[in-house]
Amino acid sequence: MTQQVIHPMVKLQRQVGSLIASNLIKPSDSIWKIALLYGDQWAFWKKELIDFGFSMQDPVQDLLEVEAWDDE
């Protein structure tokens, strides 16, 4: 039985989806708004997002629309 490893960005995507469902942020809000909710972990997530081509001004919806996270 193989256990599938979930990509860290999938976890972030799910967490952001939960924030939207809880009405803490809107899909149209800029990605930088989630920085306020991640505190000390934000430096890691910001680097990951930038590495995947996101800017902090992009809407959160763009993050949720990614279907596959490839490190290549």
Side-chain angles (χ1 to χ4, degrees), residues 15 35 37-46:
Q15 291 168 348
L37 303 167
Y38 278 90
D40 294 343
Q41 298 173 4
W42 181 243
F44 169 78
W45 290 118
K46 181 178 179 182

Side-chain angles (χ1 to χ4, degrees), residues 26-45:
K26 297 179 202 137
S28 59
D29 286 343
S30 297
I31 287 175
W32 66 263
K33 276 198 169 181
I34 61 176
L36 305 171
L37 303 167
Y38 278 90
D40 294 343
Q41 298 173 4
W42 181 243
F44 169 78
W45 290 118

Side-chain angles (χ1 to χ4, degrees), residues 17-27 29:
S18 293
L19 295 173
I20 291 171
S22 302
N23 292 319
L24 293 172
I25 59 174
K26 297 179 202 137
D29 286 343

Side-chain angles (χ1 to χ4, degrees), residues 30-68:
S30 297
I31 287 175
W32 66 263
K33 276 198 169 181
I34 61 176
L36 305 171
L37 303 167
Y38 278 90
D40 294 343
Q41 298 173 4
W42 181 243
F44 169 78
W45 290 118
K46 181 178 179 182
K47 180 185 179 319
E48 290 290 303
L49 288 162
I50 290 171
D51 287 350
F52 279 102
F54 289 97
S55 83
M56 297 304 101
Q57 288 73 38
D58 289 339
V60 172
Q61 184 64 39
D62 288 359
L63 172 64
L64 297 179
E65 290 174 354
V66 176
E67 292 181 14

